[in-house]
Structure formats: C-alpha cells, structure tokens
C-alpha cells in the first residue's frame, strides 16, 4: 500500500543532502546524550524508519532511555515514532516490548498536564492494535470528565475511532457520548460528540437534535455545520423527514457564519424546490457574495447561482432577483463582474429589463469618472456588450441606451469605443425609428473622436444613413471642420514657412529667468518654446491622421463623400447646388490625393488608396445610376445580410442551450414509486457531501464515453514485455492538476521478490509527489502501486523509470527491469473555448511563441481536413460555418482553445487544394500556432504533426 491509499497523519520534511547516521552512534546519543542530542537522534531515527530502514535494536534503547523523559518536544516526537515503528513480529504477533509502551501511555493519560493528555489521546486515534488499546480504555473513559475542553474533545475522537475500528472494546460508546453531549457546554466538544453520533448512531443524534432544534441558531458555527450535514444525510436517505427539518435549515440561513449560510443554502435547494425555498437560498448566496472579501469565494458562490439558473423551474424565481444580483458589480474584480453580467443577461426578461438597463447605464457613467483601476476599460467593454445584447433582445430599450453609449465614441480606449460603434451600427440598421437620434448624436461627437479606427467607422455610418438634405450638409460641414483649411498641401507649406495667422504665431520673446521649486535659477530660451507641439494640438483630427500617413481613412472618407453626394443629387433638384456639392466633394478628394503624393505626410499614400479615391472621383464625375445603386444599396444589403446571419447563429446557439436544459422524458422510461423503491434508491441525486469529499481527494471519476474504445482499457499503457520476470502495466488517470498512475505489477517467476520498488522520474513540467513504497511479491503474485504526479502547465510530459527488486535467498545484486516511457497527452488539458474576433487578433499580436506546421496529410477534402484537426486538437473553430461552406480551392480558419490552467492557444489554418494535380491530390498549406508559452506552442504542433494523416479503416 502507498501513502496515497493510507490516510496521511504526519508530514515531515526530510533533507536529502545529509548522510544517514549509523545505528551505533544513534544508540550512544539516545543512551548518554543530553536532551538536545536525544531529540536530534530521535528525529534521525524517525526519518530512517520512514525511508524504509529496519532498526529493531533501537526499540528497547528508546523504551529505557527516552520514554521516561518528561520533555514535551521528546514526548511529541515519541508519538510520531510509535505511530510509524513496526509493532508486530513477522508472524503478526504483538512485540513484548509494546507492553512497556502501553504502560507509559496509561500514565500519560493520567498526567496532570492537559496538553500531554490531549496529544496522547490524538495519538491513540492512529493505533490499529486492539491489544495495545484494551488496557487503556478505563483511562480514556475517565478523560471525558476532565476539567479542560482540549482533553475532553480529544477523548471523544479517541472513543469514536476505537468504536469504529474495535467495537468490542467499547460497545456502549454511542450511549456514553450521548450522555456526554447532553451535559457538555463547550462548542468544540459538542461538535466532536455530535459528529460521532452522526456516523455511529444516527438515531441518537436525531433524538438529541429534536430536543434542541429551536436553539440551533444559538449554537457555535462548528456545531451548526455538523447539524446541516446530519439534516442533509437524513433527508437524502429518507425524503419523508424533510418537513421535520426544513424550518431548522431556514433558521440557519440567518447564521452569523458564512460557511454555515453557504452549506444551509445548498442543503435547502436539495431538500425543497418550492419557489420560497429557492428564493431564500439565492438571496443567501447573493448576500454571501457581497459581504465576502475573497474573490475566490465570490466566484464559487456565483457558480452555485449559475447552477440554480440551469434548472428550468428555478430560473423564474431568480429572474425576480436580478437587481439583487447586480449589487455584486460593486466588486472591483473583473472576473466576478464578468460572471455577474453574464448571469444577469441570462435572467433578464421583459419585466426587469428596464431596471437592468438603468443600473448598467449608471455603471457605464461611473467608469467614465474612474481611471485609476487597470480593469476599468475592460469593465466598460463588458458593460457595453451587455447593453448591446439587451437592446438586441428588447428593442424598446435601445433609445435609452444609445445616447449614453455614444459619448464613449470619443474615448481614448479603442476597444470600448469599437464595441460602442458595432452596437450603433447594428442599432441604426435594425431600428429605423432611432436613425434620426443616432445621426444627431453621431454628428455631436464626431469632432471629438480620437482614434482613426473609430473615425473610419463613424464616417461609414454617417455616409450610409444620412438621408435628409440637412444631415448631408451637416456631414460635409463636419468633414471640412475635421480637415481644416484646404488645399491641405499649400496650407501646411505656409505653416512650415511661418506664414500663419497672428494668433498662431509664437513671438520671439527675450530669454526669461525662472525660479524652480528648489530655489535655483533657470533660463528659458525663445527657441525652446513648443511651437511644433502647439501646431500638433491645433491640427484638426482628420488632418492629423492624414499627416501621420494613415490614408486608409482617406479611402473611407472618399466612399462616404461619394455616397452622400449621390444622395444629395437625388434629393436636391437645383442643378447649381448639385454641382456645387459635387465640386466640393471632389475638391476634398483631390486635395487628399495631392497630400498623399507630396512629401509632407510621414508615410506616402498606398496604391490601393489612390485607386479607391480615383474611382470615387470618376463615379462623381459620371453619376451613373448603376454606381448609385452599388454605393447606396448594395453596401446596406451586405450589412443587413451579415447581421441576419449573426442573429441566426445566436438563436441557434440559444436553442441548443435551451434544449440541453430541458429535461426530456422518454415514453418508455420507468416510473419510480416511492413506496416500492429500496431505501438506498430513494433519490437519484448523489450525496453532495460525498461528492465534495471525493473531489477534494482527487477521486472524481469522469463520465466515460459510451464508446467502449474510450473506456479505461484505452488508457492502459504496457510498461514491460510479457517475457520479463516482472510484468507491469499502468492506467493513467488524469485529474485537473495531477496524474494518478495505477501500476499493476505481476511477479512472473517462481521466486519471492523482496523490496520490489517502482522508481519513477519525469521529463517536462511534471513533478513526482511521492516515492512509492517497496513491496514483497510472492511467486506469481500481483499488486497495485499508485503514484501521484503533479502537473503545472500544458505541455507534453514523459514519465520513465524502472522496477528494482531482490530475489529471496539469492546472493546476487539487485535486479532491474527498465519500463517503457509513458507519454502524457496534452489533449487531457485542452478544452474548446470561444472569443471574439477582436480578442483573437489582440492575442495573436501579443503572443510571442509561434510554431508553423506544414500540412502533410492524405486527406483530399478541405472541410474534412479541418474537422479532423478540430477533433484531434480539441480546438474550436471561430470562423462561422457559412464562411467555410461551399466548394472552393482554398480555406482559412481561426481556431481557439484554452487549457485548464488558463493558458490560451490560437491557431490559423491556411490550406488549399491543388486542383492542377487532379481530384485525388491531398490538401496542402500551413497551420500557424501561437501561444504565450513555448511548451504549449510546441506541444500543440507535435500533436497536429502526429495526427495529420487519417488512418485507413
């Protein structure tokens, strides 16, 4: 048996660099040394025994020279020593010397010092030999009446473990503890006694609880937690008892202890599905989130609220609590806010959407005034997206939201402004009645927009949706205002030459003497006055972008001017006004072209932008109906189509989610009658306490797939050959942060193998937690050895090692069997995830590690290859289905996944089908992988390389 299977009581740090001392020197220290020397010698003995050394010669020395000492440190060390030292002979009989030890501990149980009594009682909990415990029973019973609570509570634990292991030693333990519980006043003693009754005699525990059920709210929190556990277990086993205890659980929701409130709320939800119970539990969870300062606690409790929402009948109850849930937004942590907003969005309905929007608007305005927190910009983005989703689902709300959000178009944070712009674009297309309001607000904030990307988007919206004569003229005014004086080139040359307006001139003032804060004099020259920076500040925004060499915005401006000019010609009948407007638009385009070709901007204009502006000039000079149709109708049709497709996708994903949540009952499902059900099958739900305990111990079993190939047998790795003297195979079980190796070792020889040890080492980001204990294997016997390996990050790891053993009776050296390597698959840690295109592009730019994998496959279909890569890497395709559909010679797709450690993995698939090589030619191209860590990028690349080729079935 390994330490993984045994309960671990005492952890001791062992320095690896020290030399093990000899038995003779230890004996001398234990016999004749001072207290300090004896302490050190005893520590060394304990470490050597833990490492598998047998030191039978020292047992009597310790009993004679160390056991009688009254030093507290030595007494503590002796408790550890007696816990680990072998107490029986090879044939299983108790060693004679242990009678002396037993007598010493009987004296310690009657010691006047309460610490020595208490620690001795704790030690007795770990003893597994009934012959040692039997003489101590009267002394243990007497400790129940000791004046100090430390002794009494440990006496209860000792009685409980002895009763559980050797009931014959104390058959009246439940009755004894029940009487003790009735008269006890100390909270910790009562808690231990009640805990024992729950596990040893549940009826007595219920009897006690029924006598004091009205006083439960006055008990200490440690006792309340145990009472909650008892109520849960009783009602889980016997649902008819629910009515008896539900009031008690309601009372415990008002407890001052957060842990009790949390457990009581969880228990209440499992006991009752009545709306009042669900509401009380949810309210309790919300209070916990708001009052607890630890963000991890907030996230855990939020997960419980999300679990409640998943139940169709509970969702309506939670909808009434949306405003309470939004109080959680006061937490500064972004992850908590993100989960809260998502939960609120899932619960929003026509009844509460108005209140939700008011709160979110206030939060958005608050973020405008707070700049010191680093997550403010990201939080603002979250709020904008939430308001966007609300407005799409409830169009009546859009009119309230848009004016507030449009103020943020002038924000310096491009990401938040881009989200607002996307929202505005969708709203102006979808809601015709809001167009005048949006155009008005857009014209108001247009001159204040600071980033070029947002400026381009705003130009496009104004060009696309300005339909009245006044709006079109306003757009032209704003464009002229943003460009400044034209022609731009001449104006800029004049400025450079200093031929500027008097108010812009900087007079050559004489040198000034200034006094600094420190009292010293400095001279400021007229030459150092910041005329260039003043000129930069005074430069209008659009001209600033063009002078920086960003002529893509010029192409966007040309398109906008063309659209509004064509529309103006259609609206205004006066030929003179038509020509005047067209001439102005063409003058602006021409002056921008001139500027691009000059040497004034930091970067010259690109050929693409020249072509676009020239095309727009040609369109305006001809004004043909076909071009009018393309510019003013086709663009909007494309946007409308894109928004429709996106809405369909959202509806489809929502439909899938709702289908998942709806509990479908098949016509041939068996009907369960409570009266006919066996007691242990009373409820289909698992015991939550048992599940949480298993999760804490890392024993959570994943639900295996229905396919038998995906069962446990598929994860068995053969470590040695069938002809080796020792055969070994391992089942690799991957938990979230560790790997458990369950190794089956079979002795294939006719000899007894002694000290058979599994020695393991790791490569990669893996760490062996413990050294497996040595075994003795009888001829043709087998045994299971478990080893734990800790995982720190997502990358391929290798576990390698050997099995060493001695043959009983042979004089030769130790034998060794080398094991095959165990490769840990990265796929166990990678899960599909989704992100927006903007987030993908941002991460793609930030991540420094790239791995380029050349496609080398026998698959001939582009779509089939993509699906094969998705299934073999656990990644999710972010490119929409419609963009990938259809027959084409090439394909580009973005893939994304996240590891359980929170690491992101991005991939871009660029593949083509070489048509000139015939229909059976395989797909070729590249897959580029990007990740923050080198290990992740390399491991994912290796995985793709290994699984590219499709196996022929």
């Amino acid at each position: 048996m390994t330490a993984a299977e045994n309960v671990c009581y005492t952890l001791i740090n062992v320095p690896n660099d020290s030399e093990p001392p000899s038995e003779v020197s230890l004996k001398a220290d234990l016999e004749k040394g001072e207290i300090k020397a004896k302490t050190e010698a005893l520590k060394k003995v304990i470490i050597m025994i833990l490492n598998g050394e047998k030191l039978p010669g020292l047992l009597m020395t310790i009993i004679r020279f160390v056991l009688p000492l009254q030093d507290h440190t030595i007494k503590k060390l002796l408790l550890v020593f007696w816990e680990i030292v072998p107490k029986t002979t090879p044939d299983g009989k108790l060693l004679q010397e242990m009678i002396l030890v037993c007598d010493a501990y009987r004296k310690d149980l009657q010691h006047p010092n309460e610490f020595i009594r208490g620690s001795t009682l704790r030690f007795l909990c770990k003893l597994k030999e009934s012959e040692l415990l039997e003489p101590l029973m009267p002394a243990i019973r007497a400790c129940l009446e000791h004046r100090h609570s430390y002794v009494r509570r440990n006496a209860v634990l000792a009685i409980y473990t002895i009763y559980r292991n050797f009931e014959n030693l104390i058959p009246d333990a439940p009755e004894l503890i029940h009487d003790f519980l009735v008269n006890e006043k100390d909270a910790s003693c009562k808690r231990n006694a009640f805990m024992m009754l729950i596990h040893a005699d549940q009826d007595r525990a219920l009897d006690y609880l029924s006598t004091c059920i009205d006083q439960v709210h006055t008990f200490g929190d440690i006792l309340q937690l145990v009472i909650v556990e008892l109520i849960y277990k009783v009602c889980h086993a016997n649902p008819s008892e629910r009515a008896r205890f539900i009031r008690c659980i309601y009372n415990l929701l008002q407890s001052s202890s957060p842990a009790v409130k949390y457990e009581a709320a969880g228990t209440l939800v499992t006991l009752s599905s009545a709306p009042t119970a669900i509401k009380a539990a949810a309210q309790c969870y919300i209070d916990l989130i708001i009052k607890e300062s630890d963000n991890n606690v907030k996230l855990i409790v939020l997960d419980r609220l999300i679990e409640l929402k998943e139940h169709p009948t509970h969702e309506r109850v939670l909808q009434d609590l949306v405003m309470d849930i939004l109080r959680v937004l006061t937490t500064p942590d972004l992850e908590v806010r993100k989960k809260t907003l998502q939960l609120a969005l899932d619960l929003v309905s026509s009844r509460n959407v108005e209140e939700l929007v008011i709160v979110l608007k206030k939060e958005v305005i608050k973020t405008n005034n707070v700049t010191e927190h680093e997550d403010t910009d990201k939080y603002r983005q979250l709020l904008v997206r939430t308001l966007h989703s609300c407005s799409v689902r409830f169009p009546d709300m859009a009119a309230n939201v848009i004016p507030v959000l449009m103020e943020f178009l002038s924000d310096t944070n491009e990401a938040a402004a881009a989200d607002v712009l996307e929202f505005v674009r969708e709203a102006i297309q979808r809601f015709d009645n809001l167009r005048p309001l949006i155009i008005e607000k857009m014209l108001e904030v247009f001159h204040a927009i600071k980033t070029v990307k947002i400026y381009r988007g705003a130009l496009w919206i104004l060009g696309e949706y300005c339909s009245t004569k006044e709006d079109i003229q306003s757009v032209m005014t704003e464009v002229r205002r943003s460009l400044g004086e034209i022609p731009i080139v001449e104006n800029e040359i004049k400025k450079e030459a200093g031929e500027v307006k008097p108010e812009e001139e900087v007079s050559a003032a004489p040198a000034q003497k200034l006094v600094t804060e420190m009292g010293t004099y400095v001279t400021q020259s007229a030459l150092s006055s910041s005329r260039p920076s003043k000129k930069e500040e005074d430069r209008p925004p659009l001209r600033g972008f063009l002078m920086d060499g960003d002529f893509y915005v010029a192409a966007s401006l040309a398109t906008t001017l063309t659209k509004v000019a064509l529309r103006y010609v259609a609206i205004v009948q006066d030929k003179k006004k038509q020509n005047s407007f067209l001439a102005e638009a063409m003058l602006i385009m021409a002056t921008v072209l001139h500027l691009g070709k000059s040497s004034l901007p930091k970067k010259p204009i690109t050929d693409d932008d020249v072509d676009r502006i020239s095309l727009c000039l040609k369109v305006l000079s001809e004004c043909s109906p076909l071009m009018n149709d393309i510019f003013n109708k086709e663009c909007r049709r494309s946007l409308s189509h894109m928004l429709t497709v996106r809405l369909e996708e959202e509806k489809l994903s929502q439909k899938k989610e709702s289908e998942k949540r709806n509990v479908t009952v098949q016509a041939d499902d068996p009907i369960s009658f409570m009266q006919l059900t066996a007691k242990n099958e009373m409820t289909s739900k698992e015991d939550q306490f048992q599940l949480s305990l298993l999760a804490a111990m890392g024993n959570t079993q994943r639900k295996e797939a229905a396919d038998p190939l995906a069962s446990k047998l598929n994860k068995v790795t053969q470590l040695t050959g069938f002809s080796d003297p020792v055969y070994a195979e391992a089942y690799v079980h991957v938990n979230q942060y560790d790997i458990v190796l369950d190794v089956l070792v079979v002795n294939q020889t006719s000899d007894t193998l002694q000290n058979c040890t599994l020695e393991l080492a790791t490569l990669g980001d893996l760490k062996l937690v413990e050294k497996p204990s040595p075994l003795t294997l009888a001829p043709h016997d087998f045994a299971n050895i478990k080893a734990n390996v800790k995982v720190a990050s997502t990358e391929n790891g290798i576990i390698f090692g050997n099995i060493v053993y001695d043959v009983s009776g042979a004089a030769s050296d130790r034998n060794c069997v080398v094991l095959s390597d165990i490769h840990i698959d990265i796929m166990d840690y990678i899960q599909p995830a989704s992100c927006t295109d903007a987030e993908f592009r941002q991460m793609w730019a930030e991540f420094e590690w790239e791995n380029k994998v050349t496609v080398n496959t026998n698959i001939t279909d582009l779509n089939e290859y993509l699906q094969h890569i998705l299934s073999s890497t656990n990644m999710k395709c972010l490119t929409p289905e419609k963009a990938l559909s259809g027959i084409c010679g090439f394909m580009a797709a973005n893939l994304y996944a996240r590891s359980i450690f929170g690491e992101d993995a991005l991939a871009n698939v660029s593949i083509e089908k070489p048509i000139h090589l015939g229909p059976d030619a395989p797909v070729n191209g590249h897959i580029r992988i990007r990740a923050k860590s080198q290990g992740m990028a390399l491991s994912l690349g290796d995985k793709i390389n290994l699984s590219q080729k499709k196996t022929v079935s």
Side-chain angles (χ1 to χ4, degrees):
M1 280 176 55
T2 67
E5 292 164 315
N6 271 324
V7 178
C8 178
Y9 294 116
T10 313
L11 293 174
I12 296 172
N13 180 35
V14 184
N16 294 324
D17 51 353
S18 57
E19 273 291 314
S22 67
E23 194 171 332
V24 177
S25 65
L26 284 174
K27 199 168 187 177
D29 283 347
L30 290 169
E31 283 182 14
K32 297 171 185 152
E34 295 292 318
I35 294 285
K36 195 172 180 184
K38 286 185 177 184
T39 306
E40 289 304 314
L42 193 53
K43 283 182 182 176
K44 287 172 184 171
V45 170
I46 289 168
I47 288 166
M48 287 171 76
I49 292 174
L50 283 173
N51 287 338
E53 296 284 341
K54 306 269 192 298
L55 302 170
L58 291 179
L59 187 62
M60 204 60 211
T61 308
I62 288 171
I63 290 171
R64 284 176 60 204
F65 297 102
V66 183
L67 194 57
L69 297 174
Q70 293 302 311
D71 182 73
H72 283 202
T73 308
I74 283 185
K75 281 199 174 289
K76 277 199 271 187
L77 286 170
L78 280 171
L79 294 177
V80 178
F81 175 74
W82 295 122
E83 183 186 336
I84 62 168
V85 77
K87 302 171 191 68
T88 55
T89 57
D91 57 356
K93 287 183 181 174
L94 192 71
L95 290 168
Q96 295 295 319
E97 294 91 334
M98 296 312 291
I99 296 166
L100 299 168
V101 178
C102 183
D103 188 55
Y105 281 114
R106 190 174 52 76
K107 286 176 184 167
D108 278 351
L109 286 174
Q110 294 162 351
H111 199 284
N113 183 307
E114 61 270 6
F115 171 74
I116 290 174
R117 276 203 193 198
S119 54
T120 307
L121 286 163
R122 286 174 76 89
F123 159 71
L124 295 179
C125 295
K126 305 165 192 175
L127 281 186
K128 297 287 185 285
E129 289 79 23
S130 58
E131 299 97 314
L132 282 176
L133 291 167
E134 196 170 359
L136 302 175
M137 290 318 298
I140 295 171
R141 281 171 177 263
C143 286
L144 281 176
E145 293 162 18
H146 193 271
R147 59 184 171 75
H148 204 284
S149 61
Y150 179 69
V151 178
R152 296 199 302 275
R153 71 166 175 259
N154 283 310
V156 172
L157 282 180
I159 287 170
Y160 171 40
T161 49
I162 293 166
Y163 177 76
R164 192 176 57 194
N165 297 329
F166 314 105
E167 193 178 332
N168 59 310
L169 292 180
I170 184 162
D172 62 335
E175 189 182 339
L176 181 70
I177 295 299
H178 182 266
D179 295 341
F180 168 81
L181 183 59
V182 171
N183 301 317
E184 182 55 56
K185 296 286 182 284
D186 182 74
S188 59
C189 297
K190 286 171 86 167
R191 180 250 179 211
N192 285 3
F194 195 72
M195 175 74 89
M196 178 194 160
L197 287 181
I198 288 176
H199 296 288
D201 191 343
Q202 210 172 74
D203 292 337
R204 283 185 196 274
L206 287 171
D207 287 345
Y208 172 74
L209 182 58
S210 58
T211 60
C212 60
I213 199 157
D214 294 328
Q215 286 93 46
V216 165
H217 62 281
T218 62
F219 293 168
D221 56 349
I222 52 173
L223 184 56
Q224 287 179 341
L225 277 172
V226 184
I227 288 170
V228 171
E229 186 183 344
L230 172 69
I231 292 172
Y232 178 84
K233 285 191 169 176
V234 169
C235 298
H236 189 266
N238 189 3
S240 58
E241 295 278 357
R242 287 176 183 176
R244 182 177 164 194
F245 295 112
I246 205 152
R247 192 164 134 249
C248 178
I249 292 291
Y250 267 112
N251 289 340
L252 288 174
L253 287 179
Q254 312 306 320
S255 170
S256 57
S257 161
V260 174
K261 288 170 80 169
Y262 176 76
E263 291 295 348
T267 304
L268 184 61
V269 169
T270 57
L271 297 189
S272 171
S273 55
T276 48
I278 301 303
K279 189 171 183 178
Q283 196 71 59
C284 180
Y285 281 146
I286 294 164
D287 290 343
L288 280 174
I289 299 168
I290 293 163
K291 287 175 185 169
E292 276 300 305
S293 56
D294 189 337
N295 288 331
N296 292 320
V297 174
K298 289 177 188 283
L299 289 168
I300 289 165
V301 182
L302 263 173
D303 284 338
R304 295 305 291 264
L305 273 176
I306 291 164
E307 277 175 36
L308 273 183
K309 178 211 72 179
E310 297 301 324
H311 202 287
T313 54
H314 299 167
E315 192 172 4
R316 186 157 177 87
V317 178
L318 285 176
Q319 283 176 353
D320 298 333
L321 296 171
V322 166
M323 299 314 291
D324 290 326
I325 291 168
L326 287 175
R327 285 161 57 205
V328 179
L329 292 177
T330 52
T331 307
D333 184 68
L334 187 69
E335 197 59 37
V336 174
R337 285 171 159 178
K338 194 175 183 179
K339 271 195 176 180
T340 307
L341 286 172
Q342 189 54 53
L343 177 61
L345 194 58
D346 290 342
L347 294 172
V348 74
S349 64
S350 53
R351 291 177 297 141
N352 53 26
V353 66
E354 202 168 331
E355 293 169 315
L356 174 77
V357 166
I358 290 167
V359 172
L360 295 182
K361 274 165 62 180
K362 282 181 185 170
E363 285 294 314
V364 169
I365 292 162
K366 268 191 221 166
T367 62
N368 204 19
N369 306 327
V370 181
T371 50
E372 68 269 10
H373 202 278
E374 57 182 10
D375 286 334
T376 304
D377 293 339
K378 289 179 182 173
Y379 178 46
R380 191 180 301 155
Q381 258 181 287
L382 280 176
L383 290 168
V384 169
R385 286 178 190 172
T386 311
L387 284 167
H388 182 174
S389 302
C390 284
S391 303
V392 170
R393 280 168 60 186
F394 305 97
D396 299 346
M397 291 296 110
N400 298 333
V401 173
I402 286 166
V404 177
L405 289 188
M406 285 186 73
E407 298 293 333
F408 290 96
L409 285 174
S410 57
D411 200 66
T412 47
N413 174 27
E414 191 180 284
D419 279 338
V420 174
L421 196 70
E422 192 181 324
F423 171 35
V424 169
R425 186 184 68 184
E426 190 168 343
I428 202 168
Q429 170 63 22
R430 238 179 225 169
F431 314 129
D432 294 349
N433 56 323
L434 294 179
R435 279 180 192 169
L437 171 72
I438 294 173
I439 294 292
E440 184 191 335
K441 289 295 290 180
M442 185 68 85
L443 288 166
E444 274 178 34
V445 298
F446 188 72
H447 69 280
I449 295 173
K450 298 180 181 70
T451 53
V452 66
K453 186 180 171 187
I454 307 306
Y455 202 92
R456 283 203 312 267
L459 268 176
W460 186 90
I461 288 172
L462 288 172
E464 190 64 47
Y465 294 99
C466 284
S467 50
T468 65
K469 177 184 165 187
E470 291 75 18
D471 285 346
I472 291 169
Q473 283 174 335
S474 300
V475 171
M476 184 59 89
T477 308
E478 284 297 334
V479 168
R480 287 296 298 265
R481 184 177 166 189
S482 290
L483 263 181
E485 195 177 326
I486 54 174
I488 300 171
V489 176
E490 287 177 27
N491 187 253
E492 285 293 322
I493 290 170
K494 279 181 186 176
K495 281 187 183 178
E496 288 296 324
E499 299 171 26
V500 285
K501 293 174 188 174
E503 65 265 24
E504 286 182 13
E505 284 182 3
V506 179
S507 57
Q512 288 179 295
K513 275 195 172 180
L514 302 174
V515 183
T516 66
E517 289 174 6
M518 296 170 72
T520 55
Y521 287 98
V522 291
T523 303
Q524 183 186 21
S525 164
L527 295 173
S528 65
S529 61
S530 53
R531 193 173 81 173
S533 64
K534 185 176 188 305
K535 193 168 71 180
E536 292 282 344
E537 283 170 24
D538 289 349
R539 192 176 274 161
L542 185 52
R543 182 177 289 202
F545 300 143
L546 296 176
M547 291 302 287
D548 287 338
D550 194 332
F551 282 94
Y552 186 26
V553 73
S556 180
L557 171 68
T559 309
T560 299
L561 289 174
T562 307
K563 284 179 187 174
V564 294
L566 291 171
R567 214 171 288 133
Y568 188 85
V569 169
I571 296 168
V572 178
Q573 300 306 317
D574 188 342
K575 275 280 180 192
K576 190 177 177 184
K577 284 183 179 177
Q578 282 181 9
N579 291 339
S580 170
F581 195 90
L582 287 170
E584 190 174 4
M586 291 166 85
L587 172 63
I588 291 170
M589 291 184 217
T591 189
V592 169
L593 264 179
H594 184 200
L595 175 68
K597 297 283 186 185
S598 73
S599 58
L600 289 174
K602 290 177 183 172
K603 286 184 280 184
I605 191 167
T606 62
D607 292 344
D608 287 343
D609 295 331
V610 170
D611 290 349
R612 183 69 175 171
I613 296 169
S614 305
L615 172 70
C616 291
L617 281 166
K618 187 170 171 57
V619 167
L620 286 183
S621 63
E622 292 175 359
C623 287
S624 69
L626 173 65
M627 284 298 157
N628 193 352
D629 195 44
I630 290 169
F631 270 86
N632 279 329
K633 290 181 183 170
E634 287 300 322
C635 285
R636 198 174 299 185
R637 207 169 289 150
S638 300
L639 173 66
S640 175
H641 181 60
M642 186 192 82
L643 292 175
T644 309
V645 169
R646 189 186 291 173
L647 197 65
E648 279 174 13
E649 279 180 9
E650 282 175 13
K651 280 181 179 172
L652 196 67
S653 64
Q654 282 174 2
K655 191 180 176 187
K656 282 180 184 172
E657 282 294 317
S658 60
E659 279 174 5
K660 268 188 208 170
R661 274 194 272 166
N662 289 340
V663 184
T664 52
V665 181
Q666 299 300 328
D668 57 350
D669 279 355
I671 301 170
S672 60
F673 295 94
M674 194 181 284
Q675 288 81 353
L676 305 177
T677 315
K679 208 168 191 181
N680 58 351
E681 297 170 8
M682 193 68 80
T683 175
S684 60
K685 286 186 178 177
E686 298 107 321
D687 186 336
Q688 295 299 321
F689 282 94
Q690 199 62 32
L691 282 180
S692 58
L693 180 64
L694 285 171
M697 291 164 66
N699 289 345
T700 45
Q701 295 293 323
R702 291 183 184 174
K703 288 182 181 174
E704 301 290 355
D707 177 13
L709 290 174
S711 71
K712 273 190 172 186
L713 292 174
N714 202 31
K715 292 188 177 179
V716 171
T717 309
Q718 188 178 333
L719 302 178
T720 64
F722 290 114
S723 59
D724 283 314
V726 176
Y727 171 74
E729 63 182 29
Y731 166 62
V732 183
H733 178 69
V734 179
N735 291 321
Q736 189 163 0
Y737 297 114
D738 65 338
I739 299 163
V740 179
L741 295 180
D742 192 350
V743 183
L744 171 70
V745 180
V746 183
N747 178 5
Q748 300 199 107
T749 68
S750 303
D751 301 314
T752 300
L753 305 184
Q754 292 182 328
N755 290 330
C756 183
T757 310
L758 175 69
E759 294 179 345
L760 295 173
T762 58
L763 196 69
D765 214 344
L766 303 173
K767 188 179 177 186
L768 201 64
V769 175
E770 60 179 350
K771 182 180 168 187
S773 306
L775 300 167
T776 300
L777 287 176
H780 305 290
D781 192 10
F782 65 89
N784 278 64
I785 301 174
K786 283 192 178 170
N788 280 46
V789 179
K790 193 168 180 60
V791 187
S793 69
T794 314
E795 61 178 84
N796 289 335
I798 300 170
I799 301 170
F800 55 92
N802 48 43
I803 291 174
V804 292
Y805 59 90
D806 297 326
V807 178
S808 181
S812 61
D813 291 334
R814 299 200 83 185
N815 297 280
C816 177
V817 180
V818 179
L819 306 177
S820 300
D821 297 346
I822 302 171
H823 291 265
I824 303 302
D825 194 356
I826 186 179
M827 288 308 104
D828 289 317
Y829 307 110
I830 287 183
Q831 296 161 345
S834 56
C835 66
T836 63
D837 288 345
E839 286 168 345
F840 184 91
R841 280 194 292 273
Q842 188 181 350
M843 284 190 281
W844 188 265
E846 285 173 4
F847 290 176
E848 54 208 31
W849 291 102
E850 179 174 301
N851 187 6
K852 191 173 182 181
V853 179
T854 305
V855 173
N856 178 17
T857 182
N858 52 2
I859 299 172
T860 57
D861 182 68
L862 295 172
N863 237 320
E864 189 186 342
Y865 179 76
L866 179 65
Q867 293 308 319
H868 179 64
I869 290 295
L870 290 176
S871 61
S872 58
T873 60
N874 272 2
M875 297 187 91
K876 182 177 180 179
C877 183
L878 299 179
T879 310
E881 190 82 26
K882 298 217 169 175
L884 300 171
S885 57
I887 298 165
C888 182
F890 64 91
M891 177 188 282
N894 290 335
L895 317 182
Y896 177 60
R898 186 181 282 129
S899 78
I900 57 175
F901 305 104
E903 299 166 307
D904 298 296
L906 315 174
N908 173 258
V909 179
S910 299
I911 48 177
E912 65 172 344
K913 175 84 190 252
I915 299 165
H916 61 281
L917 297 176
D920 294 331
V923 170
N924 63 28
H926 291 93
I927 299 171
R928 289 198 297 160
I929 301 154
R930 283 202 184 180
K932 206 170 236 179
S933 65
Q934 184 184 17
M936 182 88 157
L938 292 174
S939 301
L940 207 51
D942 292 345
K943 181 68 187 174
I944 290 173
N945 268 328
L946 285 169
S947 57
Q948 279 201 69
K949 294 199 175 177
K950 195 178 178 187
T951 51
V952 182
S953 53

